[in-house]
């Protein structure tokens, strides 16, 4: 087993854990699309270990049990967690109200000592992007059982999404100490990536993959490795990691999207469109619908692109109607697709709730789209405060500097974005190269 060293003191962030079992943070990608999907990772380790079989079987068994034993509060809690996980697997947010109903039923039967239902409510809140609510429920669960590592993951994930990094780092250190394992190594990877240590992030994610106990966890870790490699421009390593994810668990769709993204980056536009079409037919998460629309736009097929973008707005309403806050994702989508007023309203609303680097970047780009460049520059700096080497963040900062008339800064930032990953965005990679050419750098 690979070892990931404990790091203390000011470098504690390197011990932040990215969730590999249950609800948690989503790894940011540099495709410029954002995602309206729930923030979740792999199979839900919070479900009772005694419950076996597929998730569909788990749900059916729990439903059958509750028909016979309608006061089994523990079964209600497990069913709520299963519904949250099913929403992730199917990209169907209609499972969230179901989860809320059974979790509330569980708490109605047992409120004082119901750790599982409280963690379930935290997981549900996080999936709906209510990170303040997730933090509150997580703290309540911790008060009941401070020795369960999962609860520190839920709390710390919420703190990170809220931009409360120092608190999150301390919380995640507690999780490292309490529950080392796949989830721990994966969170180490995410933290190192946020701090700009991509080689360290890859090392930690390889460790997570190597100790994965199920095909689902192994496939998820392979996909995350593919994202890390792709986001640094290493297409060969990215493709190999995505392919391994497909081979390990053919039912897990994201690695297939990764392979389609590599096809686009290598100039195989028709193959990329076919790949994303297959992905969307199997798992219509908005981030993949957006990517397919952007590919159609690049191919000059405007009508088909518009149909995909219209589908995104329909999915937006579906998520909202099921209690999911999508202001961050909507801000990025609208800023990139011609609705600056909508983008700014969404970004401003999200910034009022949380001050993470992801929200700062979205706010900066929404301000850019609304031609408020001086304000945009302030938030672009906030977005890069942790040292996260996101080509998309740097591209945004570069374009903002260009509009401010700071050509030298713009040239430096755009060159950095392309150096980090020349294929960082279906929509914007060519814009970065063309702008650099105009500014005097050959590409």
């Amino acid at each position: 087993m690979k070892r990931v060293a404990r790091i203390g003191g000011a470098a504690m962030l390197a011990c932040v854990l990215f969730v590999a079992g249950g609800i948690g943070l989503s790894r940011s990608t540099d495709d410029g699309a954002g995602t309206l999907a729930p923030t979740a990772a792999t199979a839900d380790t919070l479900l009772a270990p005694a419950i076996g079989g597929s998730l569909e079987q788990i749900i059916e068994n729990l439903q059958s049990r509750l028909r016979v034993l309608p006061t089994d509060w523990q079964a209600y809690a497990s069913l709520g967690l299963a519904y949250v996980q099913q929403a992730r697997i199917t990209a169907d947010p209609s499972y969230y109200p179901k989860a809320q109903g059974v979790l509330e039923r569980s708490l109605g039967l047992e409120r004082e000592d119901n750790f599982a239902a409280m963690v379930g409510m935290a997981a549900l809140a996080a999936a709906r992007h209510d990170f303040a609510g997730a933090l509150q429920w997580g703290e309540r669960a911790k008060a009941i059982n401070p020795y369960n590592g999962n609860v520190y993951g839920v709390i710390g994930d919420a703190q990170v999404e809220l931009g409360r990094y120092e608190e999150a780092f301390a919380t995640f250190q507690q999780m490292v100490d309490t529950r080392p394992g796949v989830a721990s190594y994966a969170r180490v990877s995410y933290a190192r990536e946020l701090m700009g240590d991509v080689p360290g992030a890859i090392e930690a994610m390889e460790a997570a993959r190597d100790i994965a106990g199920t095909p689902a966890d192994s496939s998820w870790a392979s996909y995350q490795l593919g994202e890390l490699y792709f986001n640094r421009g290493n297409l060969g390593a990215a493709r190999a990691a995505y392919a391994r994810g497909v081979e390990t668990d053919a039912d897990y769709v994201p690695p297939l999207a990764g392979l389609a993204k590599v096809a686009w980056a290598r100039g195989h536009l028709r193959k990329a469109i076919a790949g994303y079409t297959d992905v969307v037919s199997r798992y219509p998460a908005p981030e993949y619908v957006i990517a397919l629309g952007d590919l159609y736009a690049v191919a000059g097929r405007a009508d088909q692109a518009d149909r995909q973008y219209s589908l995104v707005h329909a999915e937006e309403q579906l998520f909202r109607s099921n209690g999911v806050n999508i202001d961050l994702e909507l801000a990025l989508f609208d800023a990139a697709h011609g609705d600056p007023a909508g983008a700014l309203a969404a970004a401003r609303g999200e910034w009022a709730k949380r001050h993470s680097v992801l929200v700062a970047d979205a706010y900066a780009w929404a301000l850019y789209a609304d031609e408020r460049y001086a304000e945009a520059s302030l938030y672009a700096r906030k977005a890069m405060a942790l040292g996260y080497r996101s080509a998309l963040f740097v591209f945004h900062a570069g374009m903002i500097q260009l509009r401010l008339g700071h050509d030298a800064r713009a040239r430096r930032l755009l060159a950095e974005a392309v150096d980090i990953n020349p294929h960082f965005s279906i929509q914007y990679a060519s814009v970065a190269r063309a702008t650099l050419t105009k500014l005097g750098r050959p590409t």
Side-chain angles (χ1 to χ4, degrees), residues 343-361:
L344 186 56
R348 183 181 290 117
E350 196 63 11
W351 185 255
K353 300 183 184 78
R354 55 193 181 108
H355 291 176
S356 75
V357 295
L358 298 178
V359 179
D361 172 69

Side-chain angles (χ1 to χ4, degrees), residues 307-373:
R307 281 197 289 272
Q308 298 303 315
Y309 299 149
S310 295
L311 178 57
V312 172
H313 286 296
E315 291 183 320
E316 169 200 336
Q317 295 305 313
L318 177 63
F319 277 94
R320 286 197 186 280
S321 67
N322 286 283
V324 182
N325 168 26
I326 58 170
D327 280 351
L328 172 61
E329 295 78 11
L330 191 63
L332 284 170
F333 177 74
D334 284 344
H337 296 89
D339 184 4
L344 186 56
R348 183 181 290 117
E350 196 63 11
W351 185 255
K353 300 183 184 78
R354 55 193 181 108
H355 291 176
S356 75
V357 295
L358 298 178
V359 179
D361 172 69
Y363 200 3
W365 199 233
L367 287 163
Y368 171 91
D370 202 50
E371 301 182 0
R372 298 168 64 169
Y373 305 123

Side-chain angles (χ1 to χ4, degrees), residues 23 36-41 44 55-56 59 79-99 123-124 127-128 283-286 319 322 324:
I23 302 302
L36 305 185
T39 52
D44 199 334
L55 189 58
E56 292 83 0
I59 290 173
L79 182 58
L81 285 163
Y83 281 148
V84 173
Q85 185 66 4
Q86 188 73 339
R88 179 195 70 82
I89 290 173
T90 61
D92 181 359
S94 67
Y95 282 98
Y96 294 141
K98 296 179 183 179
L124 174 61
R128 284 172 156 172
Y283 185 69
F319 277 94
N322 286 283
V324 182

Side-chain angles (χ1 to χ4, degrees), residues 170-392:
T171 300
F172 285 134
Q173 184 64 62
Q174 287 182 283
M175 186 178 182
V176 173
D177 296 339
T178 305
R179 187 186 175 96
V182 174
S184 303
Y185 287 164
R187 276 189 174 87
V188 169
S189 174
Y190 184 62
R192 290 176 175 174
E193 183 188 15
L194 278 176
M195 292 292 287
D197 179 12
V198 178
I202 290 171
E203 178 187 16
M205 190 56 70
E206 286 176 340
R209 182 195 61 195
D210 291 347
I211 64 171
T214 67
D217 282 348
S218 180
S219 180
W220 178 84
S222 293
Y223 170 70
Q224 298 300 328
L225 278 169
E227 293 291 273
L228 284 164
Y229 283 123
F230 187 93
N231 288 344
R232 71 185 301 189
N234 190 336
L235 298 183
R239 190 190 186 287
Y242 293 139
R244 178 168 177 171
V246 173
E247 292 167 5
T248 304
D249 184 355
D251 292 329
Y252 185 50
V253 175
L256 291 171
L259 291 174
K261 185 165 59 175
V262 170
W264 160 75
R266 288 179 166 173
H268 307 309
L269 187 56
R270 184 175 299 177
K271 184 177 180 180
I273 289 174
Y276 271 111
T277 300
D278 177 54
V279 166
V280 168
S281 70
R282 297 174 58 180
Y283 185 69
E287 62 180 300
Y288 302 139
V289 177
I290 293 169
L292 180 57
D294 288 347
L295 286 170
Y296 280 135
V298 169
R301 296 156 67 173
D303 289 344
Q304 289 170 291
D306 287 343
R307 281 197 289 272
Q308 298 303 315
Y309 299 149
S310 295
L311 178 57
V312 172
H313 286 296
E315 291 183 320
E316 169 200 336
Q317 295 305 313
L318 177 63
F319 277 94
R320 286 197 186 280
S321 67
N322 286 283
V324 182
N325 168 26
I326 58 170
D327 280 351
L328 172 61
E329 295 78 11
L330 191 63
L332 284 170
F333 177 74
D334 284 344
H337 296 89
D339 184 4
L344 186 56
R348 183 181 290 117
E350 196 63 11
W351 185 255
K353 300 183 184 78
R354 55 193 181 108
H355 291 176
S356 75
V357 295
L358 298 178
V359 179
D361 172 69
Y363 200 3
W365 199 233
L367 287 163
Y368 171 91
D370 202 50
E371 301 182 0
R372 298 168 64 169
Y373 305 123
E375 288 180 78
S377 180
L378 296 174
Y379 287 95
R381 287 199 295 272
K382 293 178 186 292
M384 295 188 287
L386 284 179
Y388 179 37
R389 284 181 58 78
S390 163
L392 187 65

